[in-house]
Amino acid sequence: METALAKSPEKRQVVFLTILLLLWEADCKTIRYSMPEETETGYLVANLEKDLGLKVRELATRGAQIHYKGNKELLQLDAETGNLLLKEKLDREELCGATEFCVLHFQLILENPVQFFQTDLQLTDINDHSPEFPHREMLLTIPENVQPGTVFPLKEAQDPDIGSNAVQNYTVSANLHFHVVTHSRADGRKYPELVLDRALDREEQPELTLTLTAVDGGSPPRSGTTTVRIEVVDINDNAPQFVQSLYEVQISENSPLGASVLTVSARDLDAGVNGKVVYSLFQGDGASLPFLIDKVTGEIHLSKGLDFEISSQYSMEIAATDGGGLSGKCTVAVQVLDVNDNAPELTIRKLTIPIPENSPETVVAVFSVSDSDSGDNGRMVFSIPNDLPFLLKPTFENYYTLVTEGPLDRESRAEYNITITVSDMGTPRLTTQHTITVEVSDVNDNAPAFTQSSYTLFVQENNSPALHIGTISATDSDSGSNAHITYWLLPTHDPQLPLSSLISINADNGQLFALRALDYEALQTFEFHVGATDQGLPALSSQALVRVQVLDANDNAPFVLYPLQNASAPFTELLPRAAEPGYLVTKVVAVDRDSGQNAWLSFQLLKATEPGLFSVWAHNGEVRTSRLLSERDAPKHRLLLLVKDNGDPPRSASVTLHVLVVDGFSQPYLPLPEVARDPAQDEDSLTLYLVIALASVSSLFLLSVLLFVGVRLCRRARASALGGCSLPEGHFPGHLVDVSGMGTLSQSYQYEVRLKGGTGTNEFKFLKPLFPDLQSQAAAEERENAVVRNSFGFY
């Protein structure tokens, strides 16, 4: 069989010529073995590992396989030991027929790399068949006037064996009239002829019965017999003679049944019954010929279907017998012409699935192609679609490999359906297709990719613990475990940010949770990185930035800086009796630790001793007189003011002011009118003060213990840096008051407030702003001091 390799712009075609096969055969190492037919199953044919010079167990590690045409498993390879064993009894006559040299061709295929070896096993014939005649009895009609020495042809015996095991000699039972002579044909077959030794006399013996024996040359020899019955008839002078001794004819294998093959013709010079010729098939090369002959006309017809691949030629002898029993013979040679009636056959010998992506050139499949037809009908062209990254390559004889053209990318395409098309060159062309599904296995070559490079999450302060604040997401274009993503928090480089106590992440779905309540006043925003890692080997990962912004809630009431509300005695402002309407009595200073609208403060006068005498500016907290003071107005006034923010719901704080009306500021202090005291009342007051002092000391001790325990607990929670358990910024230690820059003041200040004692009331001695960290801003300090003094009404 020839194959050809060709390539067109539209299809990749490979057409392999006979000369290429011959070159491959010249380069291939062929191992030949021989064994008798009918050998028992399990027979050790050879050890391929030793004969090929391979290493121990190399056949097993390289996936050795043995193949024979038609996928018949005649031999079995033990890859572990290298032994080639007989799997079933082999019948030479069944496998090779009458072929003199019966050679079975096997192919040994190795992987990594792909390598082929040709193995030939020759089956030697044994004498396992006896000669057999086509009929149990042969009838000869011989005229009585036949002269001694006349030869009568006999039908030969058939023996499937070959060589010396075939028929070698014919004998006939002892008699007075005949002996048998053995002759050889051109192909070596033996045939018998009966020779008359003594004249026949019908009146003496009208019929003879002889036993013809065919003996082969085996050891021991086998034989077969048939009966030859001879009828002696009256004289017939002329035997029929054919026009040609040899007829040659050609017929297509696809000819229909009953088709006329050939007409033979014989003549007999006798007249009457002795000149009437009857035709018959005398001898053929098989027990059952696919032909019939018309005994009257001599026309040969096709009685069975022909198959060029089974038998390409037939040879038969035609006998013409007259009415007197004389006969003549001719030979008819029929050559069967091949037609393209067999489609190419494609057999997959080995398939490697799946193929890892990113692999270099990889053998996907090993297959063989064959076509039982001959000539152009057996010459083949095969191809695969041109848009696929695969190639067809010849390897050994009719074996080919399907290989990848380069590395494959599973993310681009995970599966390929490759159709291998094999067509012969006959008319009409026959085609066979075989589809191979190639799956591309995943390799971890893609890192997880976040949907965003950075995420911004918003959280309302005072949130509940374990609150879900957002989700980050990453995708991985790989598959399986290579695409299974695990999320985790990356360590932060800020030692002041205890991320592990603030945020946690669900490793499976990327959900972020706030572990505890956040305080906007302590932490407005913070950032951290989140990692996503797949489960591949090696694992790949990526990072994304997460920014958390804490949203303010109105959780802080306004804090009054001035006048101080925690003094032991009420704070008193002095008001000249001659003050004009609009006179600035004082200014209430307050701040709110919240931000935005939650820190917008407004002031309101809730209650006053003289409701119409004082007014408060809603936006800056200035307390001014609304009219002139009269003699009827009380000398001491108490004002209750409300400071309220703009939050929802709003929060507020109250301020109590005491205003003392004086005639002027010539004396540093104007004492209030004193009332005569009762001594008993003084003793009661002393007792009350002692009780209050004792209760204060006890309260301070209990407060100190609670504060100490609270501090220790806060330190253990590692949250003191965020102010979770620290004192509010409005509770300043000692004598300092902190203004955060929100509320009614535009900048941050620290004021030292000192109260002057010695009388029944207290008053401001001075207010001094402190800037411990801004020593270079002396000029700014003077300006700020002036603003504060003016705000409090000191000139």
Side-chain angles (χ1 to χ4, degrees):
M1 182 187 64
E2 297 178 0
T3 56
L5 179 60
K7 186 172 183 180
S8 66
E10 302 174 355
K11 299 181 71 177
R12 231 177 284 140
Q13 297 184 341
V14 185
V15 181
F16 299 92
L17 302 176
T18 303
I19 186 172
L20 185 56
L21 292 177
L22 294 177
L23 289 176
W24 288 338
E25 292 178 0
D27 294 337
C28 174
K29 181 179 180 181
T30 302
I31 309 173
R32 293 181 173 85
Y33 302 103
S34 177
M35 61 174 287
E37 65 170 331
E38 300 295 340
T39 303
E40 292 297 327
T41 302
Y43 173 75
L44 176 61
V45 179
N47 187 283
L48 294 180
E49 203 166 60
K50 294 180 180 178
D51 295 344
L52 296 177
L54 301 176
K55 299 177 181 178
V56 177
R57 297 193 74 256
E58 185 174 351
L59 290 176
T61 57
R62 295 182 63 183
Q65 297 182 13
I66 195 81
H67 292 285
Y68 178 66
K69 63 180 181 180
N71 291 328
K72 294 181 179 179
E73 296 185 3
L74 305 180
L75 298 179
Q76 180 177 0
L77 176 62
D78 187 347
E80 295 294 333
T81 63
N83 291 333
L84 184 62
L85 306 174
L86 187 63
K87 191 170 184 180
E88 62 180 51
K89 284 186 178 181
L90 302 182
D91 187 354
R92 190 202 64 80
E93 289 75 27
E94 180 183 348
L95 295 173
C96 301
T99 305
E100 181 176 2
F101 297 101
C102 181
V103 180
L104 305 181
H105 302 286
F106 296 87
Q107 292 80 34
L108 176 64
I109 305 176
L110 302 181
E111 301 178 2
N112 301 321
V114 176
Q115 193 173 5
F116 295 83
F117 294 93
Q118 178 71 39
T119 304
D120 293 346
L121 178 61
Q122 181 176 357
L123 292 179
T124 58
D125 185 48
I126 64 172
N127 192 23
D128 56 343
H129 294 85
S130 298
E132 185 177 351
F133 287 94
H135 303 288
R136 300 182 63 180
E137 181 181 274
M138 287 186 283
L139 176 63
L140 293 179
T141 304
I142 303 176
E144 60 180 337
N145 63 342
V146 173
Q147 297 298 319
T150 304
V151 177
F152 301 92
L154 299 175
K155 294 183 179 181
E156 65 184 72
Q158 304 293 327
D159 193 333
D161 295 325
I162 62 171
S164 62
N165 294 327
V167 176
Q168 300 294 321
N169 189 31
Y170 292 91
T171 61
V172 69
S173 58
N175 64 92
L176 298 176
H177 296 278
F178 297 93
H179 75 275
V180 70
V181 178
T182 303
H183 296 281
S184 297
R185 299 184 187 277
D187 58 1
R189 291 183 298 163
K190 310 292 184 179
Y191 66 94
E193 287 185 342
L194 195 63
V195 181
L196 181 63
D197 294 329
R198 178 184 174 187
L200 300 173
D201 186 353
R202 182 179 178 279
E203 288 71 25
E204 179 182 345
Q205 190 176 5
E207 184 176 300
L208 289 85
T209 300
L210 306 177
T211 300
L212 180 64
T213 303
V215 182
D216 61 24
S219 179
R222 290 174 175 262
S223 62
T225 61
T226 186
T227 300
V228 180
R229 188 164 61 87
I230 302 173
E231 292 181 356
V232 182
V233 297
D234 286 336
I235 298 173
N236 183 19
D237 296 329
N238 297 285
Q241 291 185 349
F242 283 91
V243 177
Q244 298 175 226
S245 61
L246 176 64
Y247 289 86
E248 295 180 339
V249 66
Q250 295 179 337
I251 183 172
S252 297
E253 63 173 328
N254 62 345
S255 298
L257 298 180
S260 176
V261 178
L262 177 68
T263 299
V264 297
S265 177
R267 294 177 297 175
D268 194 319
L269 297 179
D270 293 326
V273 176
N274 293 331
K276 188 176 180 180
V277 178
V278 176
Y279 300 95
S280 64
L281 291 174
F282 179 74
Q283 183 71 49
D285 56 3
S288 179
L289 293 173
F291 305 102
L292 291 176
I293 187 170
D294 190 308
K295 62 181 182 179
V296 177
T297 63
E299 184 177 8
I300 301 174
H301 297 274
L302 188 63
S303 62
K304 297 180 181 179
L306 300 177
D307 191 344
F308 174 84
E309 289 71 37
I310 297 178
S311 179
S312 60
Q313 60 183 6
Y314 296 90
S315 178
M316 54 186 171
E317 292 184 351
I318 307 297
T321 306
D322 60 18
L326 297 181
S327 63
K329 294 188 302 180
C330 72
T331 301
V332 177
V334 180
Q335 182 179 1
V336 181
L337 299 179
D338 183 41
V339 297
N340 193 24
D341 60 344
N342 290 281
E345 295 181 0
L346 187 149
T347 305
I348 299 296
R349 299 297 184 184
K350 185 167 184 59
L351 190 63
T352 304
I353 293 176
I355 303 297
E357 65 173 329
N358 302 331
S359 298
E361 183 178 296
T362 304
V363 176
V364 178
V366 177
F367 62 93
S368 62
V369 292
S370 61
D371 194 319
S372 302
D373 296 321
S374 63
D376 287 341
N377 296 333
R379 187 176 292 113
M380 292 172 292
V381 176
F382 57 97
S383 64
I384 60 175
N386 198 37
D387 58 346
L388 298 179
F390 297 90
L391 296 174
L392 291 174
K393 289 188 176 182
T395 54
F396 168 73
E397 289 191 355
N398 60 335
Y399 281 83
Y400 308 93
T401 57
L402 176 68
V403 300
T404 57
E405 193 172 19
L408 303 178
D409 185 10
R410 190 204 65 82
E411 288 71 38
S412 300
R413 188 168 180 178
E415 184 178 277
Y416 295 89
N417 290 320
I418 307 170
T419 300
I420 304 175
T421 303
V422 184
S423 302
D424 58 27
M425 304 298 291
T427 302
R429 301 182 67 170
L430 299 181
T431 300
T432 297
Q433 290 185 335
H434 189 93
T435 300
I436 299 175
T437 299
V438 178
E439 297 177 354
V440 183
S441 62
D442 185 48
V443 174
N444 193 25
D445 57 347
N446 292 278
F450 283 94
T451 56
Q452 300 173 214
S453 59
S454 63
Y455 297 81
T456 301
L457 306 178
F458 297 93
V459 184
Q460 191 79 24
E461 69 169 329
N462 303 324
N463 57 281
S464 59
L467 175 68
H468 176 224
I469 62 174
T471 302
I472 55 131
S473 177
T475 59
D476 196 318
S477 53
D478 294 322
S479 65
S481 60
N482 295 331
H484 184 75
I485 298 176
T486 301
Y487 300 91
W488 50 289
L489 296 176
L490 273 70
T492 178
H493 299 291
D494 186 1
Q496 301 298 323
L497 182 64
L499 186 63
S500 60
S501 64
L502 288 177
I503 299 295
S504 69
I505 188 169
N506 189 311
D508 296 325
N509 55 27
Q511 292 183 349
L512 290 169
F513 299 89
L515 295 179
R516 66 181 189 183
L518 300 178
D519 186 1
Y520 173 84
E521 288 72 36
L523 185 65
Q524 286 81 32
T525 182
F526 59 95
E527 296 178 350
F528 57 91
H529 285 84
V530 174
T533 305
D534 58 31
Q535 302 299 315
L537 188 66
L540 301 178
S541 62
S542 60
Q543 300 179 10
L545 176 66
V546 178
R547 181 181 295 104
V548 178
Q549 292 188 359
V550 183
L551 301 179
D552 183 47
N554 192 27
D555 58 343
N556 291 281
F559 181 77
V560 178
L561 295 177
Y562 181 83
L564 292 177
Q565 299 298 299
N566 57 353
S568 59
F571 198 88
T572 302
E573 295 287 348
L574 302 180
L575 174 63
R577 187 176 295 277
E580 297 292 330
Y583 176 81
L584 178 60
V585 177
T586 186
K587 181 176 181 178
V588 178
V589 179
V591 295
D592 195 317
R593 297 182 64 217
D594 296 322
S595 65
Q597 292 186 357
N598 296 329
W600 293 355
L601 302 181
S602 61
F603 299 86
Q604 180 181 356
L605 181 60
L606 294 180
K607 186 177 181 181
T609 305
E610 295 288 342
L613 181 58
F614 300 96
S615 64
V616 178
W617 286 21
H619 298 296
N620 58 11
E622 292 181 351
V623 180
R624 296 178 180 270
T625 59
S626 299
R627 59 178 175 78
L628 290 173
L629 277 79
S630 64
E631 294 296 333
R632 294 192 303 269
D633 292 327
K636 184 177 180 181
H637 298 268
R638 184 176 179 275
L639 305 180
L640 180 62
L641 284 77
L642 180 68
V643 182
K644 183 173 64 174
D645 59 26
N646 198 38
D648 186 18
R651 290 178 175 268
S652 61
S654 61
V655 181
T656 301
L657 292 178
H658 292 269
V659 179
L660 180 62
V661 178
V662 296
D663 292 331
F665 292 106
S666 59
Q667 297 179 358
Y669 174 69
L670 297 179
L672 293 174
E674 295 188 52
V675 182
R677 298 182 179 179
D678 187 4
Q681 184 178 0
D682 292 340
E683 291 180 1
D684 294 337
S685 299
L686 180 59
T687 303
L688 177 62
Y689 292 154
L690 291 176
V691 173
I692 293 175
L694 181 59
S696 300
V697 171
S698 300
S699 300
L700 288 175
F701 175 77
L702 180 60
L703 179 62
S704 299
V705 173
L706 294 177
L707 183 61
F708 174 78
V709 174
V711 169
R712 291 301 296 270
L713 292 177
C714 289
R715 287 180 179 176
R716 290 183 181 179
R718 300 176 61 188
S720 59
L722 298 177
C725 295
S726 61
L727 294 174
E729 292 180 6
H731 299 172
F732 301 105
H735 58 281
L736 298 181
V737 178
D738 185 32
V739 184
S740 64
M742 297 172 286
T744 58
L745 299 183
S746 60
Q747 299 186 28
S748 297
Y749 299 95
Q750 286 188 339
Y751 296 97
E752 184 179 8
V753 182
R754 297 190 178 181
L755 302 178
K756 183 178 180 181
T759 62
T761 61
N762 296 325
E763 62 179 348
F764 273 109
K765 182 179 181 182
F766 60 88
L767 295 174
K768 181 180 180 182
L770 303 177
F771 292 87
D773 297 326
L774 302 175
Q775 298 178 359
S776 61
Q777 300 181 4
E781 181 180 4
E782 280 298 330
R783 289 193 298 271
E784 295 295 327
N785 285 336
V787 171
V788 173
R789 292 190 183 95
N790 292 334
S791 299
F792 289 166
F794 291 89
Y795 300 96

